[in-house]
Amino acid sequence: MTEAGPTEAGAPTGKAARELLAQAERLLDTARAVRADHARAVEAVHTALAPLLDSLIRRELSAIPVSRLKDVTEGRLRLGAVEQAGFTNVGQVHEANRYELRQIPGVGAQTADQALAAAGQIAHAVRDTVAVRIEVDTPDDSTTALVTALHRLVEAGPDVRRAVDAAVRLIGTLEPLLTAAGPARGRLRMLFARRPARAEALAAVASVRTVVAEAVARELLLLFGQVSVDLLREPESDVTAWVDFELRSAEYYSLLAELSGTGPDRAAAEGFLPTGIADRVRGLRLDDAHLRVSLRGYQSFGARFALAQKRVILGDEMGLGKTVQAIAALAHLSARGETHFLVVCPASVLINWAREVRARSTLRALPVHGPERQGAFTEWRESGGVALTTFDALHTLPAARDCGMTPGMLVVDEAHYVKNPATRRSRAVSGWTQRTERVLFLTGTPMENRVEEFRSLVRHLQPELAPSIHTTHGAAGSHAFRKAVAPAYLRRNQQDVLTELPALVQVDESVEFSEGDLDAYREAVGAGHFMRMRRAAYARPATSAKLHRLLELVAEAADNSLKVVVFSYFREVLLTVEHALGEGAFGPLAGSLPAARRQEIIDDFAAVEGHAVLLSQIQAGGVGLNMQAASVVIICEPQIKPTMEHQAVARAHRMGQIRTVRVHRLLAADSVDERMLNILARKERLFDLYARRSAVAETTPDAVDVSDGALARRIVEEEQLRLATGADGTVAAAPEN
């Protein structure tokens, strides 16, 4: 007679039940382990953070006069004797103890207790306002300990949050079920248990089976095990942690803000939305199962705003990650069963969208443009994924009414492109917005001073809201405007939400060669001219994809009143940019200019109120000049010497800079740009980046860079082979210096 066998309730009994419960115990143990490992990792951050915060708080309190203690007690506290005893600031009182204060003549127990309590209240308030800044250039033992502790959690990635959340839910579910299922662990226990206890045990076993089956389907055991390993793994060295911090500093600061509770003001991070809308957005839980990136708090809120309000404009200032917020919304919908998404954007950013979707999520990105766009569209319609198309291509594709399916969400990047309803691109977008339930418009252009333009965009999304938007709302200021348009608009500014981020954000802007660009590039490759290959993207300005993207970035910076520095190795490229920008650009700075004249140009640039553009050769702007008036840096092409690029960026990203610096490096896909980056990336990353911070690297760039000639010759040969040029046996010209 076997022990196993189903009951009337369908629950396993005997040996089958015991095996199931043992499996559940193992699952529960791994869940408890990952929760404990995470708790230890978090505690290590708090331990490293505490002395840094204490130091900041002491510094702040030492600057507050002791008389401010009266304000806390509404004037009831008598401090004359305390002040006469030499206590001049709140910090001194806060660090004193009750016995020490009572030794002061005229200070009794009540006064001492009130003074300490008041100092404690002020210290608590200060604690909520200070934020730790991690200085890469001046690391010490305390900040190294913090970076190392954060490194463990950052390196473990977004799986940590999913694993811990799943572990907490599993523990809460399994623990009471296993307790209730106790009698089912043995035949005798079930035999002598009362009937209600047996029934409860069998019901619990049935529930355990369901929970275990779900955990197996979600591969939680594997997830818990991998995350525990990641959380227990020590960094190879302190240098490794510091290098990783440089590469992913935004993730470190985001995690630090989350764990320390010193993030941005919540109202600002939520775009000063009315309470009702903000509460509804907060109530939506973002499913990040298909995301490959950890979101900052304000980014998570932005994605949830798009999901909760369904048809909205996300108008965050440039540099806040509108693209990743859109991808997070798509990933959430994908996790909930949606299969098709459509992104419409300018041609200049389509390749970036493809790379961001693939890098930031598990979603399938499918470019739908160029001569094969009809076939790609058909493939998307049949197989799903994120279709990426351009404004100019959209009207050539089947209309939404003829598509036979509806996207889970339509995203329109640079949405101000459809402000004029009479244009062909606006009509094409409108056809899709009318048939799609969820629509997200992205634009970095502030709308407060463009009320008519905003009203036009809202007509695509929430036409019933458009008539209630008046020009007086914009004239009344940003807060009044945002309150009026809150159901359809969310905008956050850098100064409001980047308090937890470092002052440098770097973005690679990949573009595809236009036909004219490709012709110029082929000519340069065929001639074997390395330097001409590097500047070929600007050889034909009328059709230059890089120049077009550069002008878009400058225009967006102008809309946000930000100053821009444009760097190139080539004076010829800078003159092309200057001509395209028209009058008003400063420079270009060049090595032939006397140092005094160069500084004069920079001073004039800094003195301009609001937006301005400065052009500079990278070798001239990279040494001895301070450009911290600029918060947007555009690098026209990658540099052979990475240190040259680093030094140039450091001219803007240095002490005195009060805004986040956003660096855009323009890269042409499948070109010398990518070949250079791939070769340079193969160098020993730790040594390269560690040396980059050293005094030797600052003064001797050649110390950590590869040979110009060797790099040039190798790239020319590879490109000639790839483009099938020079294949007739002729010897290509020597690379130009």
Side-chain angles (χ1 to χ4, degrees):
M1 182 175 179
T2 61
E3 292 185 274
T7 68
E8 291 182 5
T13 58
K15 181 179 179 182
R18 290 196 296 275
E19 290 177 350
L20 173 66
L21 295 178
Q23 184 183 6
E25 287 285 3
R26 290 193 297 273
L27 183 61
L28 184 60
D29 287 343
T30 59
R32 288 169 175 155
V34 78
R35 184 180 64 175
D37 293 337
H38 179 257
R40 279 192 294 272
V42 170
E43 181 58 31
V45 173
H46 286 304
T47 299
L49 181 63
L52 294 170
L53 280 176
D54 289 345
S55 177
L56 288 173
I57 292 169
R58 282 196 299 272
R59 187 171 66 191
E60 292 290 325
L61 292 180
S62 68
I64 301 174
V66 73
S67 58
R68 291 292 301 276
L69 295 175
K70 292 181 181 179
D71 298 338
V72 179
T73 60
E74 299 180 352
R76 295 192 302 271
L77 185 60
R78 296 180 180 180
L79 292 171
V82 175
E83 291 177 292
Q84 289 176 8
F87 288 82
T88 60
N89 61 67
V90 173
Q92 291 170 319
V93 175
H94 185 251
E95 293 182 6
N97 56 49
R98 187 170 184 257
Y99 175 78
E100 186 178 352
L101 291 179
R102 288 196 60 185
Q103 298 305 303
I104 301 172
V107 175
Q110 184 177 2
T111 299
D113 290 344
Q114 287 180 338
L116 289 172
Q121 288 183 45
I122 293 176
H124 184 75
V126 167
R127 166 66 174 75
D128 292 336
T129 63
V130 297
V132 170
R133 302 293 303 176
I134 299 173
E135 299 296 339
V136 176
D137 295 326
T138 56
D140 55 27
D141 290 344
S142 297
T143 53
T144 296
L146 177 60
V147 169
T148 303
L150 289 169
H151 174 76
R152 181 179 284 108
L153 287 162
V154 172
E155 186 70 10
D159 281 345
V160 170
R161 181 168 296 171
R162 285 195 285 274
V164 173
D165 288 348
V168 169
R169 289 194 297 271
L170 195 65
I171 292 168
T173 302
L174 271 185
E175 281 185 341
L177 286 177
L178 288 173
T179 299
R185 295 177 187 275
R187 294 175 61 190
L188 291 177
R189 293 179 65 182
M190 283 292 282
L191 181 64
F192 290 106
R194 295 178 180 273
R195 185 183 297 273
R198 286 200 302 272
E200 183 182 5
L202 291 174
V205 169
S207 296
V208 167
R209 182 171 61 179
T210 300
V211 172
V212 169
E214 182 184 351
V216 170
R218 294 174 60 193
E219 297 184 328
L220 290 186
L221 197 63
L222 179 63
L223 175 66
F224 294 161
Q226 184 59 57
V227 168
S228 280
V229 168
D230 291 339
L231 289 173
L232 293 172
R233 184 182 292 121
E234 295 287 342
E236 296 173 14
S237 66
D238 292 347
V239 172
T240 304
W242 274 109
V243 167
D244 193 60
F245 171 76
E246 284 197 50
L247 294 173
R248 298 189 286 175
S249 53
E251 294 182 43
Y252 280 75
Y253 272 104
S254 178
L255 180 62
L256 180 60
E258 178 184 330
L259 296 181
S260 65
T262 56
D265 175 74
R266 190 170 81 169
E270 296 177 352
F272 302 100
L273 290 176
T275 303
I277 295 177
D279 287 345
R280 182 161 61 254
V281 174
R282 286 189 220 111
L284 190 150
R285 182 178 176 274
L286 193 66
D287 193 328
D288 61 358
H290 292 175
L291 270 184
R292 287 176 171 160
V293 63
S294 297
L295 298 178
R296 298 153 205 161
Y298 74 88
Q299 290 175 330
S300 172
F301 186 87
R304 287 179 286 152
F305 174 79
L307 294 164
Q309 296 298 99
K310 293 188 177 180
R311 302 172 67 86
V312 298
I313 301 169
L314 180 59
D316 286 346
E317 189 176 10
M318 66 185 300
L320 296 186
K322 294 185 288 293
T323 300
V324 76
Q325 294 177 68
I327 292 171
L330 301 183
H332 171 92
L333 294 172
S334 176
R336 299 304 170 91
E338 294 287 353
T339 55
H340 291 71
F341 307 100
L342 178 60
V343 174
V344 185
C345 61
S348 58
V349 298
L350 187 141
I351 191 170
N352 271 334
W353 263 99
R355 293 184 177 186
E356 286 292 293
V357 169
R358 292 164 185 152
R360 311 294 184 183
S361 73
T362 62
L363 303 181
R364 174 176 178 249
L366 187 64
V368 181
H369 74 119
E372 305 299 325
R373 61 183 177 275
Q374 298 295 345
F377 184 84
T378 300
E379 181 184 346
W380 169 67
R381 188 169 53 188
E382 294 174 354
S383 305
V386 182
L388 306 168
T389 193
T390 66
F391 289 108
D392 293 332
L394 184 64
H395 77 276
T396 70
L397 301 174
R401 64 178 179 273
D402 304 323
C403 194
M405 48 73 59
T406 302
M409 176 175 275
L410 167 67
V411 178
V412 180
D413 196 7
E414 305 291 355
H416 47 277
Y417 276 49
V418 297
K419 63 185 178 183
N420 184 349
T423 61
R424 186 170 61 186
R425 64 170 59 132
S426 293
R427 293 196 300 271
V429 168
S430 180
W432 284 92
T433 60
Q434 291 174 18
R435 291 178 175 269
T436 306
E437 180 184 5
R438 298 181 183 87
V439 183
L440 175 58
F441 280 9
L442 307 177
T443 176
T445 301
M447 293 286 130
E448 287 85 339
N449 299 322
R450 293 175 166 82
V451 175
E452 183 52 45
E453 181 178 321
F454 179 81
R455 193 156 43 213
S456 176
L457 296 181
V458 167
R459 289 192 187 100
H460 286 284
L461 304 170
Q462 300 186 33
E464 71 283 357
L465 180 63
S468 64
I469 302 169
H470 305 293
T471 54
T472 53
H473 292 135
S478 60
H479 287 270
F481 175 79
R482 293 183 201 179
K483 184 176 181 181
V485 302
Y489 183 58
L490 175 66
R491 177 176 172 85
R492 280 77 58 88
N493 298 320
Q494 287 186 357
Q495 63 185 14
D496 292 332
V497 298
L498 286 189
T499 56
E500 86 270 23
L501 296 179
L504 184 65
V505 178
Q506 302 190 63
V507 179
D508 283 349
E509 298 277 353
S510 294
V511 301
E512 290 185 331
F513 275 147
S514 67
E515 286 299 323
D517 294 338
L518 188 55
D519 287 343
Y521 185 68
R522 284 182 179 275
E523 291 175 7
V525 173
H529 286 289
F530 179 64
M531 291 303 193
R532 196 189 302 170
M533 287 164 58
R534 291 183 62 202
R535 60 181 187 269
Y538 301 92
R540 301 181 183 181
T543 59
S544 169
K546 271 195 181 184
L547 184 59
H548 181 69
R549 182 57 183 151
L550 184 150
L551 294 177
E552 287 182 336
L553 293 170
V554 170
E556 187 170 352
D559 288 335
N560 290 281
S561 298
L562 302 177
K563 286 187 168 66
V564 181
V565 175
V566 178
F567 285 120
S568 175
Y569 185 84
F570 305 100
R571 182 175 172 81
E572 175 187 324
V573 170
L574 293 173
L575 293 176
T576 300
V577 173
E578 182 181 30
H579 180 75
L581 289 172
E583 295 183 2
F586 290 85
L589 301 181
S592 58
L593 283 177
R597 175 57 184 151
R598 277 183 271 168
Q599 190 60 59
E600 198 176 296
I601 293 173
I602 292 172
D603 292 342
D604 292 342
F605 165 72
V608 173
E609 188 73 25
H611 172 71
V613 180
L614 173 66
L615 308 176
S616 176
Q617 281 190 281
I618 198 162
Q619 58 271 50
V623 180
L625 297 173
N626 297 334
M627 303 172 180
Q628 60 262 43
S631 54
V632 177
V633 176
I634 300 175
I635 300 176
C636 292
E637 71 286 318
Q639 304 305 305
I640 299 173
K641 300 181 187 303
T643 47
M644 182 182 291
E645 189 172 304
H646 171 70
Q647 289 174 343
V649 171
R651 298 312 110 203
H653 177 225
R654 61 189 299 111
M655 190 175 296
Q657 174 60 256
I658 59 173
R659 296 184 65 89
T660 292
V661 175
R662 188 167 180 85
V663 180
H664 299 265
R665 182 165 55 174
L666 301 179
L667 306 172
D670 294 323
S671 76
V672 61
D673 293 353
E674 289 193 345
R675 302 291 172 265
M676 285 175 60
L677 294 182
N678 290 340
I679 291 173
L680 293 171
R682 291 175 201 142
K683 298 179 63 179
E684 178 57 46
R685 189 184 74 167
L686 273 180
F687 169 76
D688 191 31
L689 291 178
Y690 179 63
R692 189 167 58 118
R693 290 197 302 271
S694 73
V696 173
E698 289 295 320
T699 56
T700 316
D702 292 334
V704 292
D705 288 309
V706 297
S707 163
D708 292 19
L711 178 67
R713 195 170 295 107
R714 177 176 176 180
I715 291 174
V716 169
E717 291 171 354
E718 287 183 358
E719 286 296 270
Q720 286 179 335
L721 286 172
R722 188 178 69 84
L723 296 177
T725 58
D728 56 358
T730 59
V731 179
E736 165 181 69
N737 288 324

Short mmCIF file of all heavy atoms in Angstrom, two decimals, residues 475-504:
data_model
loop_
_atom_site.label_atom_id
_atom_site.label_comp_id
_atom_site.label_asym_id
_atom_site.label_seq_id
_atom_site.Cartn_x
_atom_site.Cartn_y
_atom_site.Cartn_z
N ALA A 475 1.07 82.93 -18.74
CA ALA A 475 1.54 84.23 -18.23
C ALA A 475 1.63 84.23 -16.72
O ALA A 475 2.43 84.97 -16.13
CB ALA A 475 0.61 85.33 -18.71
N ALA A 476 0.82 83.39 -16.06
CA ALA A 476 0.81 83.37 -14.59
C ALA A 476 1.98 82.60 -14.01
O ALA A 476 2.17 82.58 -12.79
CB ALA A 476 -0.50 82.76 -14.10
N GLY A 477 2.77 81.98 -14.86
CA GLY A 477 3.95 81.26 -14.36
C GLY A 477 3.80 79.76 -14.49
O GLY A 477 2.72 79.23 -14.74
N SER A 478 4.93 79.06 -14.30
CA SER A 478 4.97 77.62 -14.55
C SER A 478 4.05 76.84 -13.63
O SER A 478 3.39 75.89 -14.06
CB SER A 478 6.40 77.10 -14.41
OG SER A 478 6.89 77.35 -13.11
N HIS A 479 3.96 77.23 -12.35
CA HIS A 479 3.12 76.48 -11.41
C HIS A 479 1.64 76.59 -11.79
O HIS A 479 0.91 75.60 -11.78
CB HIS A 479 3.35 76.96 -9.98
CG HIS A 479 4.67 76.52 -9.41
ND1 HIS A 479 4.83 75.35 -8.72
CD2 HIS A 479 5.89 77.10 -9.46
CE1 HIS A 479 6.10 75.21 -8.35
NE2 HIS A 479 6.76 76.28 -8.80
N ALA A 480 1.20 77.81 -12.12
CA ALA A 480 -0.19 78.00 -12.51
C ALA A 480 -0.49 77.24 -13.79
O ALA A 480 -1.55 76.61 -13.94
CB ALA A 480 -0.47 79.50 -12.70
N PHE A 481 0.45 77.27 -14.73
CA PHE A 481 0.26 76.57 -16.00
C PHE A 481 0.15 75.07 -15.76
O PHE A 481 -0.76 74.41 -16.28
CB PHE A 481 1.42 76.89 -16.94
CG PHE A 481 1.37 76.12 -18.23
CD1 PHE A 481 0.54 76.52 -19.26
CD2 PHE A 481 2.17 75.00 -18.41
CE1 PHE A 481 0.49 75.81 -20.45
CE2 PHE A 481 2.14 74.30 -19.60
CZ PHE A 481 1.30 74.71 -20.62
N ARG A 482 1.07 74.52 -14.97
CA ARG A 482 1.07 73.08 -14.76
C ARG A 482 -0.19 72.61 -14.02
O ARG A 482 -0.68 71.52 -14.27
CB ARG A 482 2.32 72.66 -14.00
CG ARG A 482 3.59 72.87 -14.81
CD ARG A 482 4.81 72.38 -14.06
NE ARG A 482 6.03 73.00 -14.57
CZ ARG A 482 7.23 72.77 -14.09
NH1 ARG A 482 7.37 71.93 -13.08
NH2 ARG A 482 8.28 73.36 -14.60
N LYS A 483 -0.68 73.43 -13.12
CA LYS A 483 -1.91 73.07 -12.41
C LYS A 483 -3.08 73.00 -13.38
O LYS A 483 -3.93 72.11 -13.30
CB LYS A 483 -2.18 74.08 -11.30
CG LYS A 483 -3.40 73.74 -10.45
CD LYS A 483 -3.57 74.73 -9.30
CE LYS A 483 -4.79 74.35 -8.45
NZ LYS A 483 -4.98 75.32 -7.34
N ALA A 484 -3.12 73.96 -14.31
CA ALA A 484 -4.23 74.01 -15.26
C ALA A 484 -4.21 72.83 -16.22
O ALA A 484 -5.27 72.35 -16.64
CB ALA A 484 -4.18 75.33 -16.04
N VAL A 485 -3.01 72.37 -16.58
CA VAL A 485 -2.91 71.32 -17.60
C VAL A 485 -2.52 69.98 -17.01
O VAL A 485 -2.15 69.06 -17.74
CB VAL A 485 -1.88 71.74 -18.69
CG1 VAL A 485 -2.30 73.06 -19.33
CG2 VAL A 485 -0.47 71.86 -18.10
N ALA A 486 -2.59 69.84 -15.69
CA ALA A 486 -2.11 68.65 -14.99
C ALA A 486 -2.63 67.33 -15.53
O ALA A 486 -1.87 66.35 -15.57
CB ALA A 486 -2.42 68.77 -13.49
N PRO A 487 -3.87 67.22 -15.97
CA PRO A 487 -4.33 65.91 -16.46
C PRO A 487 -3.55 65.39 -17.66
O PRO A 487 -3.55 64.20 -17.93
CB PRO A 487 -5.79 66.18 -16.84
CG PRO A 487 -6.20 67.35 -16.00
CD PRO A 487 -4.98 68.20 -15.91
N ALA A 488 -2.86 66.30 -18.38
CA ALA A 488 -2.21 65.88 -19.62
C ALA A 488 -0.73 66.23 -19.69
O ALA A 488 -0.10 65.96 -20.71
CB ALA A 488 -2.92 66.52 -20.82
N TYR A 489 -0.15 66.79 -18.64
CA TYR A 489 1.22 67.32 -18.77
C TYR A 489 2.01 67.15 -17.49
O TYR A 489 1.52 67.46 -16.39
CB TYR A 489 1.14 68.81 -19.12
CG TYR A 489 2.46 69.51 -19.36
CD1 TYR A 489 3.33 69.07 -20.34
CD2 TYR A 489 2.82 70.64 -18.63
CE1 TYR A 489 4.53 69.73 -20.60
CE2 TYR A 489 4.03 71.31 -18.87
CZ TYR A 489 4.87 70.85 -19.85
OH TYR A 489 6.05 71.51 -20.10
N LEU A 490 3.24 66.62 -17.64
CA LEU A 490 4.15 66.49 -16.51
C LEU A 490 5.51 67.00 -16.95
O LEU A 490 6.06 66.55 -17.96
CB LEU A 490 4.27 65.02 -16.07
CG LEU A 490 5.28 64.72 -14.95
CD1 LEU A 490 4.85 65.38 -13.64
CD2 LEU A 490 5.45 63.21 -14.76
N ARG A 491 6.06 67.96 -16.19
CA ARG A 491 7.40 68.47 -16.48
C ARG A 491 8.16 68.64 -15.17
O ARG A 491 7.63 69.19 -14.20
CB ARG A 491 7.35 69.81 -17.22
CG ARG A 491 8.75 70.41 -17.48
CD ARG A 491 8.66 71.69 -18.30
NE ARG A 491 9.94 72.39 -18.41
CZ ARG A 491 10.88 72.13 -19.31
NH1 ARG A 491 10.69 71.17 -20.20
NH2 ARG A 491 12.01 72.82 -19.34
N ARG A 492 9.41 68.17 -15.16
CA ARG A 492 10.31 68.39 -14.04
C ARG A 492 11.58 69.05 -14.56
O ARG A 492 12.01 68.77 -15.68
CB ARG A 492 10.68 67.05 -13.36
CG ARG A 492 9.62 66.49 -12.41
CD ARG A 492 8.46 65.84 -13.13
NE ARG A 492 8.82 64.75 -14.01
CZ ARG A 492 8.94 63.48 -13.64
NH1 ARG A 492 8.72 63.13 -12.39
NH2 ARG A 492 9.23 62.53 -14.53
N ASN A 493 12.18 69.91 -13.76
CA ASN A 493 13.42 70.59 -14.12
C ASN A 493 14.60 69.94 -13.42
O ASN A 493 14.46 69.36 -12.34
CB ASN A 493 13.35 72.07 -13.75
CG ASN A 493 12.25 72.80 -14.50
OD1 ASN A 493 12.02 72.54 -15.68
ND2 ASN A 493 11.54 73.68 -13.82
N GLN A 494 15.79 70.09 -14.01
CA GLN A 494 16.99 69.51 -13.43
C GLN A 494 17.20 69.95 -11.99
O GLN A 494 17.49 69.14 -11.11
CB GLN A 494 18.21 69.89 -14.26
CG GLN A 494 18.32 69.18 -15.59
CD GLN A 494 19.61 69.50 -16.31
OE1 GLN A 494 20.41 70.29 -15.84
NE2 GLN A 494 19.81 68.90 -17.46
N GLN A 495 17.05 71.24 -11.75
CA GLN A 495 17.35 71.76 -10.42
C GLN A 495 16.39 71.21 -9.37
O GLN A 495 16.70 71.20 -8.18
CB GLN A 495 17.29 73.28 -10.42
CG GLN A 495 15.91 73.85 -10.74
CD GLN A 495 15.93 75.36 -10.85
OE1 GLN A 495 16.98 75.97 -10.93
NE2 GLN A 495 14.75 75.97 -10.83
N ASP A 496 15.21 70.73 -9.80
CA ASP A 496 14.24 70.20 -8.86
C ASP A 496 14.51 68.74 -8.49
O ASP A 496 14.24 68.32 -7.37
CB ASP A 496 12.82 70.31 -9.43
CG ASP A 496 12.35 71.75 -9.54
OD1 ASP A 496 12.82 72.58 -8.74
OD2 ASP A 496 11.53 72.04 -10.43
N VAL A 497 15.01 67.95 -9.45
CA VAL A 497 15.05 66.50 -9.22
C VAL A 497 16.43 65.88 -9.32
O VAL A 497 16.58 64.69 -9.05
CB VAL A 497 14.10 65.76 -10.19
CG1 VAL A 497 12.68 66.18 -9.98
CG2 VAL A 497 14.52 65.97 -11.63
N LEU A 498 17.45 66.63 -9.70
CA LEU A 498 18.77 66.02 -9.84
C LEU A 498 19.64 66.21 -8.60
O LEU A 498 20.85 66.13 -8.68
CB LEU A 498 19.50 66.59 -11.06
CG LEU A 498 18.97 66.09 -12.41
CD1 LEU A 498 19.88 66.54 -13.53
CD2 LEU A 498 18.84 64.58 -12.44
N THR A 499 19.01 66.45 -7.45
CA THR A 499 19.79 66.63 -6.23
C THR A 499 20.53 65.36 -5.86
O THR A 499 21.55 65.43 -5.18
CB THR A 499 18.87 67.03 -5.07
OG1 THR A 499 17.83 66.04 -4.93
CG2 THR A 499 18.22 68.38 -5.33
N GLU A 500 20.04 64.19 -6.30
CA GLU A 500 20.71 62.95 -5.92
C GLU A 500 21.68 62.47 -6.98
O GLU A 500 22.28 61.42 -6.85
CB GLU A 500 19.68 61.85 -5.63
CG GLU A 500 19.21 61.05 -6.84
CD GLU A 500 18.00 61.65 -7.52
OE1 GLU A 500 17.77 62.85 -7.37
OE2 GLU A 500 17.28 60.91 -8.20
N LEU A 501 21.83 63.24 -8.08
CA LEU A 501 22.67 62.78 -9.17
C LEU A 501 23.98 63.53 -9.23
O LEU A 501 24.09 64.65 -8.77
CB LEU A 501 21.92 62.97 -10.50
CG LEU A 501 20.65 62.13 -10.66
CD1 LEU A 501 19.99 62.42 -11.99
CD2 LEU A 501 20.95 60.66 -10.54
N PRO A 502 24.99 62.92 -9.85
CA PRO A 502 26.25 63.63 -10.04
C PRO A 502 26.09 64.69 -11.10
O PRO A 502 25.06 64.77 -11.77
CB PRO A 502 27.20 62.52 -10.52
CG PRO A 502 26.29 61.56 -11.20
CD PRO A 502 25.01 61.58 -10.43
N ALA A 503 27.11 65.50 -11.28
CA ALA A 503 27.00 66.64 -12.19
C ALA A 503 27.44 66.32 -13.60
O ALA A 503 27.74 67.20 -14.37
CB ALA A 503 27.83 67.80 -11.64
N LEU A 504 27.49 65.01 -13.96
CA LEU A 504 27.92 64.67 -15.30
C LEU A 504 27.10 63.50 -15.82
O LEU A 504 27.06 62.43 -15.23
CB LEU A 504 29.41 64.29 -15.32
CG LEU A 504 30.01 64.00 -16.68
CD1 LEU A 504 29.99 65.24 -17.55
CD2 LEU A 504 31.43 63.48 -16.54
#
